[in-house]
């Protein structure tokens, strides 16, 4: 989508530190990491958020989750554990309106969800 930050990253117009990529999904390091491992996993196709996903996006969403697991494996945090977070809308403080998963690991997380 025109002007979307993550669409521009997926298109290579804005640089990112790529961790994983396939035909449908891109994973790259968060610019302001909240944990030793903090990777964002996005569908290359623009989807604003979970509320915006359509039936035709089902395969893409499944790939997104599988890619998050693959990233955790690649980053060596499967045994120690990791958290997958997806913020949706203002109360959740979603700042980039392009669906994404945060893969966080490498430190013990606090008990709360965020
Ligand atoms: P959210 O607040 O859940 O929408 O997450 C958006 C995330 O994108 C934040 O954790 C930001 O630090 C991250 N971010 C913003 N711009 C960039 C960028 N150019 N490259 C990598 N991560 C970014």
């Amino acid at each position: 989508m025109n002007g979307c930050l993550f669409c521009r990253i997926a298109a290579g117009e804005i640089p990112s530190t790529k961790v994983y990529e396939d035909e449908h999904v891109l994973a790259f390091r968060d610019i302001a990491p909240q944990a030793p491992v903090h990777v964002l996993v996005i569908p290359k196709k623009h989807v604003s958020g979970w509320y915006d996903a359509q039936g035709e996006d089902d395969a893409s969403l499944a790939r997104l989750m599988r890619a998050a697991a693959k990233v955790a494996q690649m980053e060596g945090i499967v045994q120690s554990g990791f958290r997958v977070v997806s913020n949706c809308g203002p109360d959740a403080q979603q700042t980039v309106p392009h669906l994404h998963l945060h893969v966080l690991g490498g430190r013990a997380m606090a008990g709360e969800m965020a």
Side-chain angles (χ1 to χ4, degrees):
M1 193 181 81
N2 267 354
C4 169
L5 173 64
F6 285 176
C7 283
R8 295 189 67 198
I9 287 176
E13 294 169 15
I14 293 176
S16 68
T17 306
K18 191 191 308 178
V19 172
Y20 172 77
E21 181 173 20
D22 64 27
E23 193 184 342
H24 302 278
V25 171
L26 176 68
F28 54 97
R29 297 199 188 282
D30 196 290
I31 204 168
Q34 304 297 307
V37 174
H38 188 171
V39 176
L40 300 173
V41 188
I42 67 168
K44 289 184 173 177
K45 179 194 164 197
H46 184 84
V47 178
S48 301
W50 294 103
Y51 51 85
D52 189 34
Q54 308 294 319
E56 68 197 38
D57 298 317
D58 284 358
S60 175
L61 299 184
R63 287 191 180 98
L64 200 65
M65 288 187 269
R66 287 178 60 80
K70 190 171 187 65
V71 164
Q73 196 170 36
M74 292 169 71
E75 293 290 305
I77 54 173
V78 169
Q79 295 305 319
S80 52
F82 61 97
R83 184 170 284 174
V84 180
V85 175
S86 186
N87 298 319
C88 191
D91 278 358
Q93 301 193 34
Q94 180 182 10
T95 58
V96 180
H98 180 128
L99 183 63
H100 52 283
L101 303 178
H102 297 254
V103 178
L104 298 147
R107 68 166 169 82
M109 305 283 160
E112 73 276 17
M113 291 299 291

